[in-house]
Amino acid sequence: MKQVSIRPVWTIQSPDQPPLPTRLIELLVQVSESGSLLLAARRLELSYRRAWDLVRQGEAQFGAPLLLAERGKGSTLTELGERIVWADRRIHARLGPVLESLSSELAEELGDALRESPPALRVHASHGFAVERLIERLSSDGLTLALSYASCSAAVAALRDGECDVAGLHIPHGAMEAMTLAHYRPWLQGLGLTLVDIATRRQGLMVRPGNPKELFALADLARPGVRFINRQSGSGTRLLLEGLLQVQGIDPMQIAGFEHGEYTHAAVAAYVASGMADVGFGLEPPARQFRLDFVPVASERYFLLCRNDVMDSPALRKVLALLRDPSFRATLQDLPGYDASMSGASALLGEAYPALVADE
């Protein structure tokens, strides 16, 4: 099956001027990461002179500086330059999984037109960093996948309707387990399914470095002057947070920004890191990626729900072999807040969670 690659490209334009070169945006991102215009130019295979030309072109269009350079001290972005970089990071964080899903859909459509063999495995999954690593590795090993990142509810609905073979789902440990199982039970009752563990992971508060507003518990979200960024309605993370707030007697309407949701954990982290919110709720890896502090709140089990009739297929055997491979387990273990010690373990769904399949 042909591979389709989509990446976001954006620019800025005034009515009476040409658009800002996208190459300049890429250059500013590299300066932010390297602290040097020279290194940034080398990474993009630009001459140093061409890099300065791009910076001056951008500064002329904005009428404001983008970069400060001191001999022997490298290069520093101005506030405007930093805002452009954070806009780029938020765009990629928000659209990454969406574009990956769309790429998979388009590849499958092209494969149909070319009369190619169908994908070996259809996967609908809540986005997470362990499952992302799993998909990347399986694809690089030559396994053809039809992938759709979606909310947990959408993934289990697709499994119920026969639109996928495998669904990625996360269930919290502890007091929130029963409520979450009750939510997904209508879709899963009566299906023959096997659960395959990927990892356990931590969800919690993403806060700015040093936690300047001293946000250590969910009750702190309702304090005056605290700006919050949520996940989108229907996501498993939003469901978890709403349940935790209910148990603790915290009114979501008292949380400023509660109804504003982002579609990925990375987008939540980027939103906080750019200064647009004081705190978000999500996974630890993007918090660390964007140099935020992280306050653990809950742990959960992320796993694949597989139709029993695909468990003996060559594709599922490859999935299990990879999850049980010590080197791949080490890759997952390196993710902040992840525990992959049970990766690849399998059990019938009714054995793992009897409440999900029990009769009324």
Side-chain angles (χ1 to χ4, degrees):
M1 189 166 69
K2 301 293 187 293
Q3 290 187 340
V4 175
S5 178
I6 308 173
R7 60 186 299 269
V9 176
W10 68 286
T11 188
I12 304 169
Q13 185 173 7
S14 299
D16 57 344
Q17 291 181 318
L20 195 72
T22 57
R23 201 65 166 161
L24 171 59
I25 298 173
E26 295 173 355
L27 182 66
L28 295 177
V29 170
Q30 291 299 325
V31 170
S32 176
E33 294 179 357
S34 68
S36 165
L37 182 64
L38 179 60
L39 289 178
R42 286 176 178 171
R43 289 180 181 180
L44 296 177
E45 298 182 347
L46 297 172
S47 69
Y48 189 60
R49 179 177 179 180
R50 174 57 180 157
W52 265 117
D53 287 344
L54 285 170
V55 172
R56 293 189 182 103
Q57 182 180 343
E59 291 179 338
Q61 288 186 233
F62 282 111
L66 295 170
L67 189 71
L68 302 175
E70 296 183 57
R71 186 177 297 276
K73 295 185 179 180
S75 304
T76 305
L77 296 179
T78 64
E79 181 182 357
L80 175 60
E82 285 285 0
R83 290 296 181 95
I84 294 172
V85 168
W86 276 112
D88 184 77
R89 288 172 175 161
R90 286 178 57 215
I91 288 169
H92 283 80
R94 180 181 291 180
L95 297 181
V98 176
L99 295 181
E100 190 173 348
S101 297
L102 180 57
S103 298
S104 181
E105 291 175 16
L106 295 176
E108 191 173 2
E109 291 176 11
L110 292 173
D112 290 341
L114 294 169
R115 303 294 189 270
E116 295 178 342
S117 298
L121 205 62
R122 300 170 301 161
V123 181
H124 286 218
S126 167
H127 182 263
F129 296 86
V131 73
E132 185 178 72
R133 301 286 192 281
L134 177 66
I135 296 298
E136 289 173 353
R137 176 64 180 275
L138 290 171
S139 298
S140 68
D141 288 348
L143 187 64
T144 57
L145 300 169
L147 170 67
S148 178
Y149 282 126
S151 69
C152 288
S153 296
V156 295
L159 192 65
R160 177 80 188 186
D161 295 339
E163 296 174 359
C164 67
D165 308 303
V166 173
L169 183 65
H170 50 97
I171 299 292
H173 295 129
M176 294 306 303
E177 180 181 297
M179 187 206 74
T180 308
L181 292 177
H183 176 79
Y184 296 121
R185 188 171 181 270
W187 287 292
L188 299 175
Q189 190 177 15
L191 297 183
L193 299 171
T194 297
L195 181 153
V196 176
D197 277 295
I198 296 181
T200 59
R201 61 187 196 178
R202 299 194 298 192
Q203 297 248 35
L205 303 179
M206 306 178 187
V207 297
R208 285 185 284 172
N211 198 356
K213 295 212 169 180
E214 299 184 343
L215 304 169
F216 298 107
L218 294 182
D220 295 330
L221 301 180
R223 289 196 336 233
V226 174
R227 299 168 300 158
F228 179 67
I229 178 65
N230 208 346
R231 288 292 307 280
Q232 83 278 17
S233 181
S235 69
T237 296
R238 175 79 166 251
L239 178 68
L240 170 63
L241 177 59
E242 289 174 345
L244 290 169
L245 294 174
Q246 181 180 348
V247 169
Q248 297 184 32
I250 302 168
D251 183 1
M253 293 302 99
Q254 299 302 311
I255 300 174
F258 188 84
E259 293 306 318
H260 185 181
E262 289 284 351
Y263 280 85
T264 68
H265 294 279
V268 170
Y271 201 95
V272 175
S274 66
M276 298 179 68
D278 302 302
V279 56
F281 187 80
L283 293 172
E284 188 169 352
R288 302 305 183 190
Q289 176 189 348
F290 286 102
R291 299 175 185 174
L292 300 172
D293 285 356
F294 183 80
V295 181
V297 172
S299 64
E300 58 187 11
R301 183 184 191 182
Y302 191 105
F303 52 84
L304 300 177
L305 283 181
C306 311
R307 289 184 169 275
N308 289 342
D309 57 7
V310 302
M311 287 303 297
D312 289 330
S313 67
L316 234 299
R317 288 200 293 269
K318 286 184 178 180
V319 172
L320 290 170
L322 180 58
L323 286 171
R324 294 166 181 170
D325 179 79
S327 63
F328 184 72
R329 280 187 176 180
T331 298
L332 301 185
Q333 198 73 32
D334 285 341
L335 291 167
Y338 277 67
D339 179 358
S341 58
M342 296 300 293
S343 176
S346 64
L348 293 176
L349 180 59
E351 297 174 356
Y353 293 112
L356 273 178
V357 296
D359 294 332
E360 294 285 357

